[in-house]
């Protein structure tokens, strides 16, 4: 995925049960009834991190943490996700046509790799919820959402997706002050279709999508799409969806519409921006149905009725099985979901009294990662060549599980996102999904690319690979990053079996780059990378930086396996690359690094640096290299890092919410760059003042690598990503970190058509929250492959304490607390079940010197180690609990 601020072309009947909140399991009842929550309307601090926003207080309430919104609900996207299904509508409970890969079809109800429904609508006594009955409040919880409606009958809608089940559950909790029977209508409109082909590919979604049929049986609506599309290499399919309830309907209806208040449907055009809101797409071939119920209400008592949307790409029997599982015990499934999310919340729990906004962002970033997990079966791997071809499959991958890149248009497998998210996920203790994501990339890439070593870029859950085959141009950066992701997991888990399973592929990754992507033999890899913009040379900065890191990580993996040949091969190339890097890539007049190097095929311009101000200029400071016998450090020299980071903090590169994709240059630029300029270099590329969550995360990590944790340094970027996730004046979906912040060149999603928006949730931004807090501020640095652990925290500027508990390391965990009390630095560490030789310490404040060091009340010997972060005090821990005290002069 490239960073672009605009749209890219690129069988028993179900169990019957009547349940009320009063008899539900406690966790489910709490969620259905609602808990105290932060609500939009109160405005958090707009200043530097360290101020406390109202949202940060929600953790003190009983029950799950929640965030609520009351304004412009019809303009905001809702989202609930499980690992086998997800659903997106708006925050009133309606379903505008959403997304652009298949224009208008990316919302609704999905189970990978197919869509099931356009939407599910509820009417009460002839009035539709979300239109005739207004939505008052939308709430995001950990693993669920809730909508409160006005009206004589109090209605609360709770949506969630149980993990392991291909179904979404919707609970309507009704309460009346008087005894009455209400008529409840439920409309469903199907759209059974595959996630690939897309709207503009060959074949297209219009070619692939066949007409749906609808039926009614045993109290449920049943939709089906069967057949074989007419284009070559198409395969027969049998898609099915079930819709129903734990109640028996009193009547039903079938027909082509049944979109509740969205009938008659406004059809999205094939392109353009009008109308601003529509209900279905030109390729839609679904059908509809209605279920009607009589629901008796006792005075003052609430009653919850559950509805399920379930389906399968494996026929009616499989869909029915998922439907029965979903409705067998909804409250038990909701309780299980809540339990699992509490477990996620309990890991890497932090206490940041000087930055409560960042503390809360850690909480929600862990949930964003969990909300991104997806799974599919029987992926038929084929190279569709950016949508131009549709060959026969190369083979099948039986199962894949991954971090979906973004919702609603990217919930599939990307190497880029998975490799960046790996750093956030290990800091959150979510090891297993990272391992599964990397396995999926390996299995798919080897099948697609005949074991060449090249990593596939973009894989749809059908198995169609849009980009990343041997025959396509990229992305080089993903291939060179793969060994580093493997090394990261190995260091945090000590899992030698995982290392061994990934080692051969990791070796082939870098051998492929040197064999196929270094035509001129200069060591700078060729091919596309994460920025795809005009005027770039064939050798890209980020690919070079990540190759340098990848070589060091591969050498480390090889050393651990006693593979001297690969260790020496990787080390020799790393030494050579690093020795020449600054001379080739540093551009003094730009006060930064070149984005690329010119075409080596042109002798007149061979190895000419090209400076265009893209965000990748930060990667030499962001990527940390593991060099034997030396402290880990970024590729950039300390001198150049200070200059480049100072430059990137200026308004020509940084906006309100973080780092621009492409900074601004002189007004004399032919491209007409707007905004202030920080250097005299003329570029042919226009600025892109779009602040992606990833750009900002890269900058946050780079600042932390050099110990730059100041209010005008790292805190600018951690606050930027936290605000777009948590600030009610900024968010679209409460608690979800979006792909792009509201930016000068990327207007806020809330004002754009639903079919022309960036992602409502794209979890790669969590890299700039979890890694800076857990690894840099709390200083947790395991190397369990060699059975060592370092905990060396650094206090951010202006803060007196940072702490974290249950930070998962291997099969155990670490608690750490760091504080400054007068002239004494205190580091308290507790290690449980890790089985590693532990070093504890602290980063000294700038200019401070050590007067005395004690460990557990006794004088201790210590080492002063100069690192990129500053001067660190290191002390060997004596047991599982350590109380380190450093008295400063």
């Amino acid at each position: 995925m490239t960073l672009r601020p605009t749209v890219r072309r690129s069988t028993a009947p179900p169990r019957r049960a009547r349940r009320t909140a009063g008899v539900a399991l406690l966790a489910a009842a709490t969620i259905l009834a609602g808990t105290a929550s932060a609500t939009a309307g109160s405005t958090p601090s707009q200043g530097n991190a360290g101020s406390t926003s109202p949202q940060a207080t929600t953790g003190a309430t009983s029950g799950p943490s929640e965030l609520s919104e009351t304004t412009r609900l019809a303009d905001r996207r809702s989202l609930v996700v499980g690992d086998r299904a997800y659903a997106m509508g708006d925050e009133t409970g309606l379903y505008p046509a959403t997304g652009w890969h298949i224009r208008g079809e990316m919302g609704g109800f999905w189970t990978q790799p197919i869509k099931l429904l356009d939407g599910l609508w509820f009417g009460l006594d002839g009035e539709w919820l979300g239109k005739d009955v207004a939505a008052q409040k939308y709430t995001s919880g950990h693993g669920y959402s809730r909508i409160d409606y006005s009206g004589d009958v109090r209605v609360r809608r709770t949506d969630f997706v149980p993990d392991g089940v291909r179904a979404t559950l919707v609970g309507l909790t009704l309460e009346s002050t008087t005894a009455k029977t209400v008529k409840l209508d439920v409309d469903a409109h199907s759209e059974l279709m595959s996630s690939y082909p897309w709207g503009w590919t060959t074949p297209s979604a219009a070619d692939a999508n066949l007409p749906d049929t609808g039926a009614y049986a045993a109290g449920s609506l049943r939709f089906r799409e069967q057949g074989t599309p007419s284009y070559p290499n198409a395969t027969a399919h049998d898609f099915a969806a079930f819709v129903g309830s734990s109640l028996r309907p009193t009547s039903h209806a079938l027909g082509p519409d049944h979109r509740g208040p969205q009938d008659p449907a406004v059809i999205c055009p094939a392109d353009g921006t009008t109308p601003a809101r529509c209900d279905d797409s030109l390729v839609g071939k679904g059908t509809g149905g209605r279920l009607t119920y009589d629901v008796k209400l006792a005075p003052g008592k609430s009653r919850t009725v559950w509805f399920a949307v379930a389906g399968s790409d494996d026929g009616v029997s499989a869909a029915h099985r998922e439907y029965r599982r979903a409705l067998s015990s909804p409250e038990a499934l909701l309780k299980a979901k809540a339990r699992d999310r509490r477990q996620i919340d309990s890991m890497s729990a932090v206490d940041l009294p000087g930055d409560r906004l960042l503390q809360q962002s850690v909480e929600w970033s862990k949930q964003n990662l969990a909300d991104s997990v997806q799974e599919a079966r029987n992926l038929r791997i084929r190279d569709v060549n950016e949508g131009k071809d549709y060959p026969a499959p190369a083979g099948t991958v039986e199962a894949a599980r991954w971090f979906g890149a973004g919702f609603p248009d990217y919930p599939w497998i990307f190497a880029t996102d998975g490799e960046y998210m790996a750093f956030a996920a290990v800091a959150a203790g979510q090891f297993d999904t990272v391992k599964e994501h990397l396995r999926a990339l390996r299995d798919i890439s080897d099948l697609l690319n005949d074991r060449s070593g090249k990593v596939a870029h973009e894989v749809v859950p059908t198995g169609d690979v849009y980009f990343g085959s041997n025959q396509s141009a990229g992305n080089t950066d993903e291939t060179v990053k793969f060994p580093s992701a493997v090394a990261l997991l190995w260091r945090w888990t000590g899992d030698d079996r995982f290392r061994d399973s990934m080692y051969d592929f990791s070796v082939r990754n870098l051998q492929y780059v040197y064999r196929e992507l270094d035509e001129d033999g200069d060591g700078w890899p060729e091919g596309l990378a994460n920025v795809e913009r005009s005027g770039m040379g064939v050798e890209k900065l980020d690919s070079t930086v990540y190759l340098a890191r990848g070589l060091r990580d591969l050498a480390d993996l090889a050393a651990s396996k006693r593979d001297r040949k690969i260790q020496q091969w990787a080390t020799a190339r790393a030494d050579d690359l690093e020795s020449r890097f600054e001379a080739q890539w540093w551009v003094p007049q730009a006060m930064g690094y070149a984005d690329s190097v010119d075409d080596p095929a042109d002798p007149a311009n061979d190895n000419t640096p090209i400076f265009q101000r893209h965000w990748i200029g930060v990667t030499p400071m962001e990527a940390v290299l593991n060099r034997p016998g030396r402290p880990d450090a970024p590729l950039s020299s300390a001198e150049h890092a200070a200059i480049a980071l100072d430059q990137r903090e200026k308004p020509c590169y940084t906006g309100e919410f973080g780092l621009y994709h492409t900074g601004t240059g002189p007004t004399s630029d032919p491209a007409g760059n707007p905004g202030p300029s920080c250097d005299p270099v003329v570029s042919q590329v226009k600025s892109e003042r779009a602040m992606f969550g990833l750009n900002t995360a890269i900058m946050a990590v780079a600042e932390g690598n050099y110990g730059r944790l100041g209010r005008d340094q790292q805190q600018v970027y951690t606050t930027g990503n936290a605000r777009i996730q948590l600030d009610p004046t900024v968010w679209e979906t409460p608690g979800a970190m979006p792909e792009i912040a509201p930016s000068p060149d990327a207007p806020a999603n809330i004002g754009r058509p639903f079919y022309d928006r960036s992602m409502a949730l794209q979890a790669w931004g969590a890299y700039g929250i979890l890694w800076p807090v857990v690894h840099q501020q709390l200083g947790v640095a395991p190397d369990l492959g060699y059975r060592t652990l370092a905990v060396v925290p650094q206090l951010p500027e202006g803060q007196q304490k940072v702490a974290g508990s249950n930070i998962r390391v291997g099969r155990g965990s670490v608690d750490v607390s760091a504080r400054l009390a007068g002239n004494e630095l205190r580091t308290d560490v507790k290690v449980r079940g890790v089985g590693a030789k532990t070093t504890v310490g602290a980063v000294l404040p700038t200019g401070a010197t050590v007067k005395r060091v004690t460990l557990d009340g006794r004088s201790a010997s210590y080492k002063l180690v100069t690192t990129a972060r500053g001067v660190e005090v290191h002390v060997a821990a004596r047991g599982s609990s350590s109380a380190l005290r450093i008295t400063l002069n």
Side-chain angles (χ1 to χ4, degrees), residues 196 202 233 380-395 444 447-449 454 456 458 463-473:
Y196 190 88
T202 302
N233 296 315
R380 297 182 180 92
I381 307 304
R382 76 181 91 218
D383 175 18
V384 301
N385 186 25
E386 296 185 73
K388 303 179 185 71
D389 303 328
Y390 201 78
I444 292 166
L447 193 54
L448 173 77
N449 289 325
K454 184 173 184 174
E458 180 174 6
D464 296 292
V465 182
Y466 188 73
F467 195 57
S469 72
N470 288 333
Q471 289 71 43
S472 65

Side-chain angles (χ1 to χ4, degrees), residues 678-739:
C678 296
D679 62 71
V681 178
V682 174
S683 171
Q684 299 295 324
V685 175
K686 187 176 181 179
S687 65
E688 291 181 37
R689 295 172 301 166
M691 292 167 279
F692 288 78
L694 179 61
N695 304 354
T696 301
I698 294 285
M699 187 66 179
V701 171
E703 295 270 39
N705 285 338
Y706 289 92
R708 298 164 60 104
L709 308 188
R711 293 184 180 92
D712 297 326
Q713 297 172 323
Q714 184 182 79
Q715 293 177 53
V716 170
Y717 304 96
T718 55
T719 299
N721 270 1
R723 283 189 62 203
I724 63 176
Q725 179 188 43
L726 298 171
D727 185 339
T729 68
V730 181
W731 69 35
E732 181 191 0
T733 303
M737 193 179 295
E739 180 185 14

Side-chain angles (χ1 to χ4, degrees), residues 3 531 533-536 541 585 587-596 609-621 644 647-654 658-690 692 695 699 745:
L3 301 183
V531 173
R533 294 297 184 272
S534 63
M536 297 190 79
L541 176 64
W585 292 89
V587 182
Q589 65 271 32
M591 291 165 278
Y593 290 96
D595 300 274
S596 61
I610 299 173
F611 180 71
Q612 297 177 315
R613 300 181 184 83
H614 299 311
W615 64 271
I616 56 172
V618 180
T619 59
M621 290 77 76
Q647 192 76 347
R648 296 278 167 163
E649 291 167 1
K650 295 178 180 178
C652 53
Y653 285 106
T654 292
L659 188 71
Y660 293 143
H661 181 283
T662 305
T664 57
T667 55
S668 59
D669 269 13
N673 289 302
S677 174
C678 296
D679 62 71
V681 178
V682 174
S683 171
Q684 299 295 324
V685 175
K686 187 176 181 179
S687 65
E688 291 181 37
R689 295 172 301 166
F692 288 78
N695 304 354
M699 187 66 179
D745 295 337

Side-chain angles (χ1 to χ4, degrees), residues 507-571:
V507 171
R508 288 187 282 115
N509 295 154
L510 301 194
Q511 289 177 337
Y512 172 84
V513 170
Y514 277 97
R515 184 177 68 249
E516 302 292 340
L517 298 175
D518 189 20
E519 183 179 350
D520 59 349
D522 64 358
W524 316 127
E526 297 145 10
L528 292 176
N530 217 325
V531 173
E532 298 172 14
R533 294 297 184 272
S534 63
M536 297 190 79
V538 297
E539 297 167 342
K540 312 297 193 300
L541 176 64
D542 48 335
S543 294
T544 296
V545 170
Y546 294 131
L547 174 60
R549 183 181 67 183
L551 286 165
R552 290 297 183 185
D553 287 334
L554 180 62
D556 193 33
L557 294 171
S560 73
K561 289 180 64 63
R562 296 179 174 84
D563 184 347
R564 294 285 295 165
K565 181 179 179 180
I566 292 300
Q567 181 188 3
Q568 292 171 354
W569 177 85
T571 299

